[in-house]
Amino acid sequence: MILDKGFCSIYEVANSAPAGGMPVEKLKLKYRSWYGELDFSTTPYQAEMQEDVEISARVRIVQNRSISNHDVAILSNVLPPPASAIQYRIVRAYHGTDDENGQPITDLSLEKVVQQYVL
């Protein structure tokens, strides 16, 4: 599969508050890759002990096994992503190989974030 739709930036949610202060969640860049769009269904499904998760997008990126469902993804055509870009919670990260070319890939199932994080 050709990864030519744009950039997928993966962020971890980090606490940026000073020691002893109230937690302030902020996104910290973890990884960036080109991405390709995958087919998906908008019908809610049961995913690993989660009920009725509605997927907003599915994308394929160059493999990075440190990506997990605790991370946030932003898809954009420019770098850095604009502050208004839609943020997605990673519901599922599948690490495998591309059937077409045998390259290592990570497939991400994404759900839109309701409460936007500060970049």
Side-chain angles (χ1 to χ4, degrees):
M1 170 179 216
I2 298 174
L3 307 179
D4 63 352
K5 279 298 200 184
F7 302 101
C8 178
S9 301
I10 307 294
Y11 297 86
E12 63 181 328
V13 180
N15 181 7
S16 65
M22 289 287 291
V24 177
E25 292 184 330
K26 188 173 182 180
L27 296 180
K28 180 180 171 187
L29 184 64
K30 183 175 187 176
Y31 181 69
R32 185 170 282 145
S33 171
W34 288 95
Y35 79 92
E37 291 181 332
L38 297 170
D39 295 334
F40 71 99
S41 170
T42 58
T43 305
Y45 73 99
Q46 301 239 335
E48 297 181 26
M49 306 300 284
Q50 299 173 347
E51 293 184 21
D52 295 332
V53 174
E54 187 170 324
I55 300 301
S56 302
R58 284 188 63 235
V59 297
R60 175 167 290 174
I61 61 173
V62 176
Q63 188 178 89
N64 183 326
R65 290 184 175 268
S66 70
I67 297 171
S68 73
N69 61 349
H70 301 288
D71 296 328
V72 172
I74 297 178
L75 308 176
S76 67
N77 292 325
V78 296
L79 289 178
S84 61
I86 298 172
Q87 297 176 8
Y88 298 93
R89 183 176 67 83
I90 296 174
V91 176
R92 179 178 178 262
Y94 167 78
H95 308 289
T97 55
D98 190 313
D99 291 338
E100 294 176 12
N101 60 24
Q103 295 295 312
I105 52 91
T106 297
D107 289 345
L108 304 173
S109 296
L110 307 172
E111 174 186 43
K112 282 185 186 175
V113 170
V114 177
Q115 181 66 38
Q116 299 280 313
Y117 293 97
V118 176
L119 282 175

